[in-house]
Amino acid sequence: SAVSMQDARVAAAMCDYWTAFAMRGDPNVSEHTAWPRYRAEHDTILDFASSGQLLARPDPWQARLDLVERLNRH
């Protein structure tokens, strides 16, 4: 199957982030959206959207994952 332009953009960005992280220990590269630093109180993720956009936003699964974590403790 053919690779869409969105797929190619996401793949290239992901490769850039991984390469920067491997080389410097910091995934951020100037030409892309900043990869948010992890903070438990904010739980912000970098969403590689299928549209090709890179969005730093709150984790949409946070409430569900927190619930599963609490249930697994008991």
Side-chain angles (χ1 to χ4, degrees):
S1 74
V3 174
S4 72
M5 289 301 291
Q6 292 94 338
D7 292 340
R9 279 197 304 268
V10 169
M14 195 170 284
C15 184
D16 290 345
Y17 285 115
W18 277 108
T19 302
F21 182 71
M23 291 176 64
R24 298 187 323 267
D26 179 358
N28 289 300
V29 287
S30 61
E31 62 269 15
H32 297 302
T33 302
W35 192 291
R37 220 176 247 293
Y38 176 75
R39 292 189 182 124
E41 65 273 7
H42 294 120
D43 213 5
T44 303
I45 63 168
L46 186 60
D47 184 8
F48 289 79
S50 59
S51 66
Q53 287 185 299
L54 305 174
L55 308 166
R57 64 188 187 113
D59 186 349
W61 294 93
Q62 180 181 2
R64 291 177 187 169
L65 294 172
D66 289 347
L67 174 62
V68 169
E69 183 178 359
R70 281 193 304 275
L71 292 172
N72 284 330
R73 288 185 194 160
H74 298 288

